[in-house]
Amino acid sequence: AVKSDIAGSTSGQTVGVSLTSIVSDGTLSSSLPIAGNIHTIAYADLASVAISNVLPTGADLKTDPIDGVRVWEATFTVSQRNVDFTKLSLRQINSIDKADISNFKLLIDGVEVASVPYLDANGYVTFSFNKTLVTGSRNVKVLADVTGGSSRYIQMSLRNKADIDVKDADYGVNVSATGVPATAAAMQVNVGVFSITTN
């Protein structure tokens, strides 16, 4: 997919993308160029989505290795019209090992809408779903099971605008969320305690 921010002053102009060359060790089974559709840019007063109040926040945050740890949460404020929310990708940017955090769940206004078992090879968790966010303030939360990682840190981040897909529900056009990047504070996994009892 190729996406771009379109300036408001370009109404009436056209835009399109074509693939003109590929560098690859494999054999190309198609002929180039491959051109997409030409789109006429129109002006519309689209819906908006503002991301704020990212949690957890603060310093010296800690958690035990337990299920259902809140690793990322934010308020999504939807204005103008409803939006269709279909993708959210967060990246784990701190020191916890991928094997020590799993079973990610995405909740919107307290209702689970998607789950992903593990981080991918690049440290991302990507939720794919289909949820309409009505205008107003919506709570978006991600929980995960922490199974290890003593003294390591968990820190989830919405890195860029391409990591979230929201469309104006009336026009079917992607809108650019504001408040990105949106990064939660680092949270340390508590050190385990080992004890031996003798009789």
Side-chain angles (χ1 to χ4, degrees):
V2 178
K3 298 181 181 182
S4 174
D5 292 343
I6 303 294
S9 59
T10 56
S11 180
Q13 299 182 32
T14 58
V15 63
V17 175
S18 65
L19 177 63
T20 58
S21 66
I22 296 176
V23 177
S24 174
D25 293 334
T27 301
L28 184 64
S29 60
S30 300
S31 58
L32 298 176
I34 300 172
N37 293 331
I38 300 297
H39 302 276
T40 300
I41 299 168
Y43 176 78
D45 192 10
L46 297 175
S48 64
V49 177
I51 299 171
S52 61
N53 303 323
V54 180
L55 300 170
T57 186
D60 199 31
L61 301 175
K62 295 183 183 296
T63 184
D64 289 323
I66 56 173
D67 293 349
V69 176
R70 180 190 63 180
V71 294
W72 192 88
E73 183 176 359
T75 299
F76 283 41
T77 303
V78 181
S79 303
Q80 297 286 94
R81 278 178 301 281
N82 299 347
V83 297
D84 294 327
F85 187 17
T86 56
K87 185 188 88 169
L88 178 69
S89 290
L90 301 177
R91 188 177 187 194
Q92 202 298 114
I93 59 172
N94 220 302
S95 60
I96 193 167
D97 191 272
K98 288 184 291 186
D100 293 324
I101 187 168
S102 60
N103 194 24
F104 294 86
K105 296 178 181 179
L106 173 65
L107 290 80
I108 298 177
D109 290 336
V111 178
E112 183 179 335
V113 297
S115 62
V116 176
Y118 306 108
L119 294 169
D120 68 16
N122 296 312
Y124 278 90
V125 56
T126 299
F127 299 98
S128 296
F129 52 96
N130 195 345
K131 177 70 174 176
T132 298
L133 301 183
V134 299
T135 55
S137 295
R138 310 271 69 88
N139 177 263
V140 178
K141 182 189 301 184
V142 176
L143 307 177
D145 295 348
V146 179
T147 56
S150 178
S151 298
R152 298 289 185 98
Y153 287 87
I154 304 162
Q155 190 172 21
M156 304 300 294
S157 177
L158 174 60
R159 305 296 287 165
N160 57 66
K161 294 180 180 182
D163 290 334
I164 177 173
D165 278 352
V166 282
K167 291 183 178 180
D168 186 299
D170 289 341
Y171 287 101
V173 176
N174 283 79
V175 297
S176 180
T178 60
V180 180
T183 303
M187 179 167 43
Q188 188 178 33
V189 180
N190 286 328
V191 176
V193 176
F194 180 73
S195 62
I196 299 175
T197 302
T198 59
N199 294 326

